[in-house]
Amino acid sequence: KQEVTQIPAALSVPEGENLVLNCSFTDSAIYNLQWFRQDPGKGLTSLLLIQSSQREQTSGRLNASLDKSSGRSTLYIAASQPGDSATYLCAVKTFSGNQFYFGTGTSLTVIP
Amino acid sequence: NAGVTQTPKFQVLKTGQSMTLQCAQDMNHEYMSWYRQDPGMGLRLIHYSVGAGITDQGEVPNGYNVSRSTTEDFPLRLLSAAPSQTSVYFCASSPGTGLRNTEAFFGQGTRLTVV
């Protein structure tokens, strides 16, 4: 079974700092990896989707990378803002089964 | 742009009661699924559907039923609620018959408490 781990579980940074969130997975046979943002009491908002054939995806201040062979993905957030405060989840879709496997998330707090 | 709509947003049930969580999407997506989110465990798949009339079990299906009579709707039924079913439930949809290379869209969630 695919296991997805996100480290750290919580992160607090001052505004303006660049930061990296980490996601690791045990089965490298994946179709894609998706990063989500979840605000307290809210649903999941898709941030970036990386196909298995891609190395990275960018959207604004966000950049996600994928290294299938090592089972890792990183989400880079540039020039962090208080509005970036949320929980960030990564999820992978493997060849077997028909579901996403989720990590438990990194709770990010950006201090003004 | 409604996307994926879940109702209700909050619900309190007594043990043994039954209820249906509603999920509707207006994007003509073939694939729909239900997840539950529990502290420290991440989201886990309950049931999914690859199209109208077709459903299958996910990782944690016990105590739940689903049906898919239309493309738009995918209700989740709790047959006899138990305290272990206290959780936040998310419905998701995706184009195509699987999640292979397509983006998933999630609803806002239903927070269920069973007392």
Side-chain angles (χ1 to χ4, degrees):
Chain A
K1 177 190 167 184
Q2 178 77 266
E3 300 285 345
V4 181
T5 303
Q6 290 187 248
I7 295 173
L11 182 64
S12 183
V13 300
E15 182 177 2
E17 192 163 297
N18 301 326
L19 59 100
V20 174
L21 307 181
N22 297 294
C23 172
S24 62
F25 47 94
T26 54
D27 183 354
S28 62
I30 65 170
Y31 278 122
N32 60 49
L33 183 146
Q34 195 165 350
W35 281 94
F36 296 89
R37 168 186 174 137
Q38 185 176 27
D39 293 284
K42 302 293 185 182
L44 280 67
T45 300
S46 177
L47 297 173
L48 290 164
L49 172 69
I50 309 178
Q51 309 291 1
S52 60
S53 58
Q54 297 174 317
R55 293 290 298 218
E56 65 178 322
Q57 279 282 5
T58 299
S59 176
R61 294 183 294 108
L62 305 179
N63 176 276
S65 67
L66 174 63
D67 183 344
K68 275 198 314 178
S69 60
S70 67
R72 293 180 185 176
S73 176
T74 61
L75 180 66
Y76 175 83
I77 303 177
S80 58
Q81 303 170 357
D84 294 332
S85 297
T87 296
Y88 291 80
L89 300 168
C90 74
V92 297
K93 173 70 173 67
T94 55
F95 290 168
S96 60
N98 211 345
Q99 67 178 83
F100 275 113
Y101 291 90
F102 282 84
T104 51
T106 294
S107 177
L108 173 66
T109 301
V110 181
I111 304 167
Chain B
N1 292 342
V4 181
T5 303
Q6 291 183 235
T7 56
K9 288 185 169 54
F10 302 94
Q11 183 70 48
V12 178
L13 286 179
K14 293 183 178 179
T15 298
Q17 285 186 317
S18 62
M19 79 159 294
T20 299
L21 308 185
Q22 301 291 343
C23 176
Q25 53 91 8
D26 60 359
M27 297 173 282
N28 201 32
H29 286 172
E30 294 184 18
Y31 183 96
M32 296 185 74
S33 56
W34 278 100
Y35 287 82
R36 60 178 288 173
Q37 184 178 34
D38 301 293
M41 299 190 72
L43 279 80
R44 293 178 294 167
L45 181 68
I46 305 171
H47 285 284
Y48 67 94
S49 169
V50 298
I54 305 170
T55 63
D56 206 346
Q57 295 181 351
E59 185 181 354
V60 288
N62 292 342
Y64 307 95
N65 271 358
V66 293
S67 60
R68 185 95 177 269
S69 56
T70 66
T71 299
E72 295 77 20
D73 300 299
F74 190 44
L76 177 72
R77 281 182 288 276
L78 279 70
L79 309 174
S80 177
S84 61
Q85 294 179 304
T86 294
S87 187
V88 181
Y89 291 84
F90 288 100
C91 179
S93 75
S94 178
T97 55
L99 288 171
R100 294 187 173 188
N101 289 318
T102 58
E103 187 176 8
F105 297 85
F106 281 76
Q108 292 298 296
T110 295
R111 187 174 296 273
L112 175 68
T113 302
V114 182
V115 298

